[in-house]
């Protein structure tokens, strides 16, 4: 079953969904796009932190022709990723539909180079499993999967959105200076530093170090180079480090005190009519939740309401 | 230069000329005359009134013609848009306009005796390649704003040339440059070889060879390469050579041995194509000598040149006699595949620029390395053996190789808060803030003490009068809703509606300059070398100058626009103030007096 209307269209659509999900999970990260055409790879967009510019490029006319060259793409990407500071993790994700790679030289050397520069390469194949892709992913610590059809492809792609565990040799811990800007006052005028437009002070954020206006967060201040984020952005990245413990499944026992309503949505957990009364319970705070709240807590909220509402002295 | 022009006057009327001459009269004026002698329209433009120029990028996909837009003073609006017949003409005119504009505004971008030599402190004249110089000049020509900045700072000795361009690396870094360094590889589709197209009516078959394919043929079949260099153009013309080659390939493919033998007997060159490649045979012999004798030498059909004596043991002994007899080659697909792979792994050394096969052949011959002396060859081959040994592991039998993960290590947050407490306590005068203060109050005592303090505050009358509070709230609400209404209507105009465009543009120019200065200022901290401190000094002087200028503008403004000017100037002065304050703080902390809260 091949991809309709064309592989290019399917890949572009799924890539757009991936980029949105990726920035949702990792607001402090940057993404760039590269295409391979006729044996040469071209940069589609620069590495940046705003999803809009990437998605605009995907919505434009994308053409594909000729052979694909894994080596050329890896060399190009290596060149761009070398400019990333050492505390950043470098990753490449290939969406590969060709069945071969037509390279100008020895691709094994390029793979060694990637390994040395600590780039983690993953591949999602659309056609069949290829040995060189598997070798590349194994050497650099990435994952290689092959999609069976369109929905499977989307699923595999979205699995790459949450950050992978950091590989010991690649991770370098550093202290990074960040600024938490506030919005300007409503009645003041300020001049935006990215577009040079005059606008009301309330429409942007003021960098705490150089007092210049920036349009959106997270970004790097153009004037003083400070990384500017807002605390929800940082919190979203933090949640991947401290995930909520998986809840245990329990059934309702007769004579049990409490646990009759879901602690999250207050709906009754007791089903009349003989249906099974399975629900979940947090192992730390022992509160009971229904399945909907369980999914919501683990995927969106990343905090257990029961644990948070306990007094901090007991923690 | 033939062009079509559209003149846009302030009122919005547009006059179109067609088939006219765009004649740069002199460095001062531009005369635009229509070819049609009957028309009386003539355009005589003084270059001094042109303030900026813009042009559009032209690519083949869209049908827009190349345009050049000369904009006048933006206060009155208006300007001229010229539509050209082809891009080359437009580029000529654009370059000319850029040069003239530059002259009028004081720069001379055509000649760049690099100004870094003029500046007071130079780190030695910069060694710029001519390509780099070209790119910079091109960028300056294309962007008049950049040109203005360049003139103000670099030629005004505030910034050095290298510093100016350091922040603009992404503009200079030609993307096409990077992409063009890549070379496409040899296609393995060639192995199917050049398939002839047969015309159904006649008995002819046609082969088409491109330079790329010819390059590949030379790389993979060194005997053909040698023959080409020897025979062409002395004995055979190129066309004849390739005709014979293609005939040989055709005969080989159809496996018509009798016809092949017959033709080989007639034609000497054809015979050469049909034979085995002796260069490869020699190389294979050399290769064999370097192989580790403990390896299994049982060769199979995948190896090349198995017919050579003392090259492996044939499994099937019966084929020996037949092969040695005939001189004609029998090549199989796997042999071709192996040869192709060997060529690809060696890497692609030459770039194909020319279409002339003779030069291609010679270039390839030059780039071929002589077989190295035996000692060096041994090292190289040993390395290769190690690589081969590693790659031939059967992966199913290996343990899964996953790199170990970094364990999460979060320091105790109490450490951070304790150190902060020490920092906070230090200015209060205690010698060592780290010493924990021993408190001997119990909870009850503390609570009672607090209650006493609160009740001692006289709370007879409310802190704020209620009607005054209401008035203040109402006014604040009104102010906020008013400004929000104005924002929704028309942001740009209503914010600074009464400000004349000229002043606004002037202030925005100042703002661009301030941004540039600030960017260089903030990037020079922390100051570690004398060069940086010198740079900061120069920047501070420039910033003070601009600050002064802004104050003057504010004071000399007319009363009706003064409020708006001061509103616009405020963020600029705020940014400059922040920079000055930072500089002061750095200086005082270096002198050792103040304490740095939070390690800033």
């Amino acid at each position: 079953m091949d991809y309709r209307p064309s592989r290019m269209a399917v890949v572009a659509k799924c890539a757009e969904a991936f980029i949105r999900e990726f920035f949702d999970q990792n607001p402090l990260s940057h993404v760039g796009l590269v295409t391979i055409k006729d044996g040469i790879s071209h940069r589609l967009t620069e590495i940046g932190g705003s999803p809009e510019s990437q998605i605009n490029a995907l919505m434009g006319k994308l053409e594909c022709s000729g052979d694909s060259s894994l080596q050329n793409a890896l060399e190009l990407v290596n060149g761009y990723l070398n400019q990333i500071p050492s505390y950043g993790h470098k990753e490449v994700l290939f969406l590969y539909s060709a069945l071969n790679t037509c390279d100008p030289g020895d691709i094994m050397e390029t793979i060694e180079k990637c390994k040395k520069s600590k780039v983690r390469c993953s591949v999602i194949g659309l056609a069949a499993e290829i040995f060189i892709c598997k070798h590349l992913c194994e050497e650099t610590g990435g994952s290689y999967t092959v999609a069976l059809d369109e929905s499977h492809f989307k699923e595999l792609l979205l699995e790459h959105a949450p950050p992978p565990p950091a590989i010991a040799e690649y991770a370098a811990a550093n202290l990074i200076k960040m600024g938490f800007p506030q919005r300007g006052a409503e009645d003041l005028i300020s001049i935006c530093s990215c577009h040079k437009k005059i606008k009301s002070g309330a429409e942007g954020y003021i960098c705490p170090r150089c007092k210049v206006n920036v349009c959106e967060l997270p970004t790097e201040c153009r004037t003083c180079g400070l990384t500017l984020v807002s605390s929800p952005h940082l919190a979203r990245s933090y949640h991947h480090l401290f995930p909520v413990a998986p809840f245990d499944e329990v059934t309702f026992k007769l004579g049990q005190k409490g646990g009759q309503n879901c602690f999250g949505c207050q709906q009754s957990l007791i089903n009349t009519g003989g249906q099974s009364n399975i629900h979940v319970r947090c192992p730390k705070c022992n509160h009971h939740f229904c399945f909907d709240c369980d999914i919501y807590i683990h995927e969106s909220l990343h905090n257990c309401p029961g644990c948070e509402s306990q007094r901090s002295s007991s923690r | 230069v033939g062009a079509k022009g559209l003149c846009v006057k302030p009122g919005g009327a547009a006059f179109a000329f067609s088939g006219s001459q765009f004649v740069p009269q002199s460095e001062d004026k531009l005369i635009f005359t229509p070819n049609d002698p009957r028309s009386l329209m003539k355009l005589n433009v003084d270059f001094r009134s042109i303030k900026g120029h813009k042009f559009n990028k032209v690519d083949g996909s869209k049908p827009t013609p190349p345009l050049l837009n000369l904009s006048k003073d933006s206060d009155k609006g208006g300007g001229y848009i010229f539509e050209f017949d082809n891009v080359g003409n437009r580029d000529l005119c654009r370059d000319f306009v850029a040069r003239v504009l530059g002259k009028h505004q004081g720069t001379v971008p055509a000649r760049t005796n690099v100004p870094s030599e003029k500046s007071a402190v130079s780190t030695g004249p910069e060694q710029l390649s001519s390509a780099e110089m070209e790119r910079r000049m091109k960028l300056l020509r294309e962007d008049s704003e950049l040109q203005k900045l360049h003139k103000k700072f670099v030629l005004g000795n505030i910034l050095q040339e290298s510093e100016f361009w350091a922040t603009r690396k992404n503009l200079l870094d030609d993307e096409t440059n990077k992409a063009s360094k890549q070379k496409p590889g040899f296609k393995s589709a060639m192995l199917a070889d050049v398939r002839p197209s047969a015309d159904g009516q006649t008995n002819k078959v046609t082969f088409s060879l491109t330079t790329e394919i010819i390059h590949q043929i030379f790389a993979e079949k060194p005997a053909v390469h040698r023959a080409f260099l020897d025979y062409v153009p002395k004995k055979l013309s190129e066309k004849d050579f390739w005709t014979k080659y293609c005939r040989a390939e055709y005969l080989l493919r159809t496996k018509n041995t009798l016809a092949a033998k017959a033709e080989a007997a007639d034609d000497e060159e054809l015979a050469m194509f049909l034979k085995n490649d002796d260069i490869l045979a020699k190389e294979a012999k050399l290769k064999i000598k370097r192989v580790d004798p403990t390896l299994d030498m049982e060769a199979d059909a995948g190896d090349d040149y198995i017919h050579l004596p003392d090259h492996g043991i044939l499994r099937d002994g019966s084929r020996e006699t037949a092969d040695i007899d005939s001189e004609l080659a029998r090549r199989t697909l796997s042999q071709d595949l192996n040869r192709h792979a060997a060529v690809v792994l060696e890497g692609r050394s030459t770039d194909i620029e020319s279409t002339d096969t003779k030069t291609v052949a010679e270039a390839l011959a030059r780039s071929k390395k002589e077989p190295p002396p035996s000692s060096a060859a041994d090292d190289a081959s040993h390395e290769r053996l190690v690589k081969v040994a590693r790659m031939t592991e059967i992966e199913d039998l290996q343990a899964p190789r996953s790199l170990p993960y970094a364990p999460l290590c979060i320091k105790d947050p109490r450490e951070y808060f304790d150190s902060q407490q020490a920092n906070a306590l230090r200015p209060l005068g205690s010698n060592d803030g780290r010493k924990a203060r021993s408190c001997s109050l119990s909870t009850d005592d503390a609570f009672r003490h607090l209650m006493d303090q609160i009740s001692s505050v006289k709370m007879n009358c409310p802190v704020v009068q209620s009607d005054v509070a209401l008035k203040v709230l109402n006014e604040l609400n009104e102010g906020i809703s008013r400004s929000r209404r104005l924002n929704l209507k028309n942001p740009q105009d209503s914010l600074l509606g009464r400000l004349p465009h000229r002043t606004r543009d002037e202030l925005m120019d100042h703002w661009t300059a301030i941004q540039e200065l600030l960017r260089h200022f903030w990037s020079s901290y922390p100051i570690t070398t004398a060069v940086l401190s010198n740079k900061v000094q120069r920047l501070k002087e420039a910033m003070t100058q601009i600050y002064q200028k802004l104050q003057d503008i504010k004071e000399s403004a007319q009363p009706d626009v003064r409020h708006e000017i001061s509103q616009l100037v405020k963020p600029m002065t705020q940014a400059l103030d922040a920079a000055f304050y930072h500089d002061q703080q750095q200086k005082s902390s270096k002198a050792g007096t103040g304490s740095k809260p939070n390690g800033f």
Side-chain angles (χ1 to χ4, degrees):
Chain A
M1 218 183 351
D2 209 355
Y3 302 84
R4 296 265 175 261
S6 73
R7 286 187 181 179
M8 189 83 242
V10 167
V11 165
K13 200 165 64 141
C14 294
E16 186 207 336
F18 168 74
I19 286 182
R20 289 202 195 277
E21 179 71 16
F22 180 79
F23 278 111
D24 199 39
Q25 303 267 345
N26 310 283
L28 301 176
S29 309
H30 296 283
V31 160
L33 298 174
V34 164
T35 55
I36 312 175
K37 208 160 74 138
D38 290 321
I40 309 258
S41 59
H42 305 269
R43 177 176 74 180
L44 200 59
T45 60
E46 279 199 31
I47 298 187
S50 129
E52 294 310 316
S53 56
Q54 318 293 336
I55 291 177
N56 282 340
L58 282 175
M59 293 293 113
K61 203 154 75 112
L62 293 167
E63 291 163 354
C64 47
S65 61
D67 295 311
S68 99
S69 164
L70 213 52
Q71 187 182 16
N72 277 335
L74 279 174
E75 295 274 346
L76 188 70
V77 166
N78 236 344
Y80 289 131
L81 286 180
N82 276 338
Q83 303 164 1
I84 307 282
S86 62
Y87 54 78
H89 287 251
K90 307 176 212 171
E91 267 196 70
V92 183
L93 177 61
F94 280 93
L95 304 177
Y96 207 67
S97 105
L99 285 173
N100 64 348
T101 165
C102 181
D103 299 322
D106 193 355
I107 191 176
M108 299 301 185
E109 288 175 10
T110 314
I111 296 181
E112 280 306 306
K113 212 161 68 160
C114 285
K115 236 176 118 169
K116 257 197 239 123
S117 32
K118 303 184 185 173
V119 176
R120 179 182 180 265
C121 310
S122 310
V123 179
I124 301 183
L126 273 84
E129 190 188 43
I130 308 170
F131 170 74
I132 192 65
C133 295
K134 192 154 130 187
H135 183 79
L136 169 69
C137 296
E138 268 176 13
E139 289 284 307
T140 54
S143 81
Y144 180 39
T145 47
V146 177
L148 298 172
D149 56 23
E150 187 174 335
S151 54
H152 188 216
F153 176 65
K154 191 157 181 192
E155 211 180 284
L156 290 173
L157 193 51
L158 290 179
E159 265 174 19
H160 282 273
I167 300 176
E169 340 175 303
Y170 295 3
N174 258 348
L175 284 180
I176 314 169
K177 219 177 243 183
M178 287 193 168
F180 292 88
Q182 300 191 323
R183 276 194 185 272
E186 175 91 30
D187 51 352
L188 285 183
I189 303 280
S190 51
I191 311 171
C192 159
S193 62
C194 10
H195 309 112
K196 295 203 183 23
K197 271 209 311 241
I198 302 177
K199 52 183 198 187
S200 152
E203 271 177 45
Y205 302 89
I206 312 272
C207 167
R209 187 152 79 171
C210 61
K211 306 283 185 281
V212 159
N213 192 299
V214 290
C215 283
E216 50 171 26
L217 295 179
T219 184
E220 247 189 40
C221 174
R222 272 165 190 253
T223 314
C224 62
L226 187 62
T227 313
L228 299 173
V229 293
S230 74
S231 43
H233 291 139
L234 208 52
R236 258 186 263 168
S237 303
Y238 185 78
H239 286 310
H240 294 295
L241 291 175
F242 300 101
V244 185
F247 290 169
D248 307 321
E249 280 190 12
V250 293
T251 48
F252 184 68
K253 289 194 279 274
L254 286 172
Q256 184 182 322
K257 287 196 288 264
Q260 303 200 342
N261 291 331
C262 165
F263 187 73
C265 56
Q266 302 300 317
Q267 282 194 335
S268 168
L269 290 172
I270 307 171
N271 274 332
T272 54
Q275 285 174 346
S276 59
N277 290 327
I278 302 184
H279 51 273
V280 287
R281 184 193 64 190
C282 169
K284 286 200 194 138
C285 61
N286 283 323
H287 280 112
H288 296 254
F289 296 95
C290 63
F291 278 114
D292 291 330
C293 289
D294 179 25
I295 295 176
Y296 180 64
I297 288 170
H298 282 101
E299 296 197 358
S300 307
L301 202 55
H302 298 291
N303 281 308
C304 166
C307 299
E308 298 299 323
S309 54
Q310 293 202 328
R311 282 218 242 129
S312 48
S313 55
S314 60
R315 254 195 279 177
Chain B
V1 176
K4 236 185 346 187
L6 260 181
C7 163
V8 182
K9 287 251 168 15
F15 303 83
F17 310 74
S18 59
S20 327
Q21 294 282 354
F22 179 104
V23 175
Q25 185 75 345
S26 63
E27 300 262 300
D28 290 326
K29 282 212 247 264
L30 165 71
I31 294 199
F32 190 71
T33 53
N35 267 342
D36 189 355
R38 280 175 295 157
S39 160
L40 295 170
M41 301 258 242
K42 230 195 214 199
L43 192 59
N44 196 334
V45 175
D46 194 345
F47 265 127
R48 271 187 282 267
S49 67
I50 306 268
K51 289 286 178 265
H53 74 299
K54 283 197 274 250
F55 61 95
N56 66 340
K57 285 209 210 315
V58 177
D59 60 290
S61 57
K62 292 190 264 236
T64 55
L67 299 170
L68 180 63
N69 181 349
L70 301 175
S71 51
K72 279 164 79 151
D73 199 2
S74 55
D75 195 12
K76 301 188 231 110
Y80 310 95
I81 301 182
F82 296 97
E83 184 185 309
F84 288 84
D85 293 329
N86 62 351
V87 191
N89 285 342
R90 194 276 305 272
D91 284 346
L92 275 177
C93 297
R94 173 197 71 192
D95 292 342
F96 177 79
V97 168
R99 219 167 5 102
V100 172
L101 281 181
K103 210 178 76 153
H104 279 278
Q105 290 167 8
T107 39
V108 190
R111 259 172 278 120
T112 54
N113 307 329
V114 183
S116 65
E117 278 153 3
K118 282 201 284 182
S119 64
V121 179
S122 61
T123 49
E126 223 185 318
Q127 305 295 332
L128 288 176
S129 69
S130 59
E132 181 73 23
M133 204 86 86
E134 259 304 309
R135 270 205 291 260
R136 290 185 183 184
M137 286 202 293
K138 184 158 164 271
L139 275 174
L140 283 178
R141 271 193 298 242
E142 288 180 359
D143 190 349
S144 47
E145 279 229 12
L146 199 63
Q147 211 178 59
K148 268 191 265 183
L149 278 178
H150 189 260
K151 156 203 155 211
K152 213 188 260 192
F153 294 131
V154 180
L155 302 182
N157 281 343
I158 301 180
L159 282 179
Q160 292 190 1
E161 180 92 14
S162 52
E163 293 161 357
F164 183 76
W165 290 107
T167 52
R168 296 197 160 72
K169 269 214 185 81
N170 62 332
L171 288 178
L172 287 177
D173 212 0
D174 221 318
E175 208 254 84
T176 50
N177 209 353
K178 250 196 193 160
S180 65
K181 283 196 213 133
Q182 301 171 43
K183 295 176 269 188
F186 285 142
K187 294 195 226 286
S188 52
M190 242 283 292
L191 289 180
D193 225 348
V194 193
R195 286 225 167 272
S197 55
D199 195 353
Q201 296 171 333
T202 64
N203 266 338
K204 277 209 286 199
V205 285
T206 326
F207 287 78
S208 50
L209 296 169
T210 64
T211 323
E212 186 68 24
I213 296 182
I214 289 177
H215 184 75
Q216 201 167 348
I217 292 177
F218 285 160
E220 292 189 11
K221 303 187 186 175
V224 174
H225 186 209
R226 184 186 57 188
F228 185 83
L229 288 174
D230 291 339
Y231 292 159
V232 175
K234 288 172 280 181
K235 278 177 79 176
L236 291 173
S237 77
E238 196 175 319
K239 190 150 176 270
D240 288 338
F241 182 82
W242 290 118
T243 318
K244 295 208 180 180
Y245 174 77
C246 295
R247 181 142 189 89
E249 286 294 313
Y250 182 71
L251 288 171
L252 275 177
R253 185 172 308 119
T254 53
K255 300 199 200 304
N256 198 342
T257 42
L258 289 175
K261 264 204 207 146
E263 296 216 9
D266 287 340
D267 193 345
E268 187 192 309
E269 284 96 27
L270 195 64
M272 192 252 335
F273 287 135
L274 292 171
K275 269 196 307 193
N276 286 309
D277 196 329
D278 55 336
I279 299 182
L280 280 182
K282 247 193 298 187
E283 279 179 18
K285 276 201 186 132
L286 273 179
K287 210 166 44 168
I288 293 299
K289 290 204 181 115
R290 291 188 252 128
V291 165
D292 183 356
T294 58
L295 269 182
D296 188 356
M297 284 298 290
E298 199 175 305
D300 57 12
D303 275 342
D304 221 337
Y305 297 100
I306 52 175
H307 59 280
L308 292 178
D310 61 59
H311 177 108
I313 307 164
L314 285 173
R315 277 199 214 107
D316 188 358
S318 61
R319 293 185 45 176
E320 261 185 66
T321 45
D323 266 348
I324 295 180
D325 270 355
S326 100
E327 275 196 356
L328 299 176
R330 274 186 210 200
R331 306 191 55 79
T332 62
L333 183 60
S334 43
Q335 288 169 343
D336 284 339
L337 202 55
N338 281 340
R339 175 71 198 148
H340 174 79
V343 168
V344 167
L345 284 181
E346 271 167 30
R348 181 133 172 182
S349 43
T350 53
D351 280 326
I352 308 297
E353 296 294 342
S354 59
T355 48
D356 185 10
T357 34
K358 184 76 181 171
T359 47
V360 164
E362 280 166 4
L364 195 58
R366 266 184 306 221
S367 67
K368 271 231 160 68
K369 299 181 283 262
E370 288 299 319
S374 51
S375 58
D378 281 337
D379 289 343
S381 68
H382 176 74
E383 212 181 277
R384 252 214 179 141
L385 278 179
V386 167
K387 230 169 36 166
V388 165
R390 200 186 57 218
M391 287 195 283
T392 47
E393 287 169 353
I394 304 178
E395 67 224 32
D396 290 351
L397 299 179
Q398 308 294 327
R401 251 185 318 173
S402 64
L403 306 163
Y405 294 137
L408 187 60
C409 158
I410 303 234
K411 288 209 254 196
D412 194 358
R414 277 178 299 196
E415 262 181 50
Y416 173 74
F417 287 116
D418 286 343
S419 69
Q420 288 309 306
Q421 199 181 37
N423 275 339
L425 289 176
R426 204 175 298 139
L428 291 181
S430 57
N431 290 340
D432 184 8
R434 262 179 254 268
K435 228 190 328 195
R437 294 169 150 247
S438 52
C439 305
S440 53
L441 280 180
S442 71
T443 332
D444 283 344
D445 285 344
F447 181 67
R448 221 172 291 130
H449 183 70
L450 213 54
M451 279 296 288
D452 290 341
Q453 291 208 312
I454 293 176
S455 47
S456 68
V457 173
K458 293 216 169 44
M459 295 291 283
N460 296 333
C461 51
V463 182
V464 175
Q465 304 273 352
S466 55
D467 49 353
V468 171
L470 195 59
K471 237 196 254 180
V472 168
L473 264 177
N474 282 341
E475 222 172 279
L476 278 175
N477 266 342
E478 220 181 277
I480 292 177
S481 54
R482 190 186 335 127
S483 57
R484 196 162 291 187
R485 232 182 309 128
L486 287 177
N487 278 354
L488 285 174
K489 259 200 296 194
N490 198 345
Q492 280 285 322
D493 288 343
S494 64
L495 277 180
L496 296 165
R498 279 174 299 171
L499 201 62
H501 286 242
R502 192 177 315 138
T503 1
R504 182 167 71 179
D505 285 342
E506 198 186 315
L507 288 173
M508 289 308 279
D509 277 345
H510 281 303
W511 172 244
T512 332
I514 290 178
Q515 265 202 309
E516 183 70 19
L517 286 173
L518 281 178
R519 206 179 307 163
H520 286 273
F521 178 84
W522 286 106
S523 65
S524 335
Y525 278 91
I527 304 185
T528 41
T529 68
V531 173
L532 283 174
S533 69
N534 199 307
K535 178 175 168 186
V536 167
Q537 206 51 39
R538 277 178 282 143
L539 288 170
K540 269 200 338 202
E541 282 163 14
M543 277 157 48
T544 343
Q545 271 182 3
I546 291 197
Y547 200 93
Q548 201 51 42
K549 254 189 258 178
L550 288 177
Q551 301 288 56
D552 292 339
I553 293 181
K554 233 187 358 188
E555 268 144 37
S556 67
Q558 315 236 318
D560 53 343
V561 293
R562 182 175 303 206
H563 174 66
E564 313 213 313
I565 287 189
S566 66
Q567 267 198 322
L568 187 52
V569 164
K570 191 153 179 219
M572 305 190 204
T573 48
Q574 239 182 354
L576 287 170
D577 283 338
F580 286 135
Y581 179 68
H582 180 78
D583 181 58
Q584 253 182 352
Q585 263 207 323
Q586 290 286 313
K587 280 219 179 75
S588 64
S589 72
K590 251 205 259 211
T593 52
S595 71
K596 284 202 261 181
N598 293 348
F600 225 88

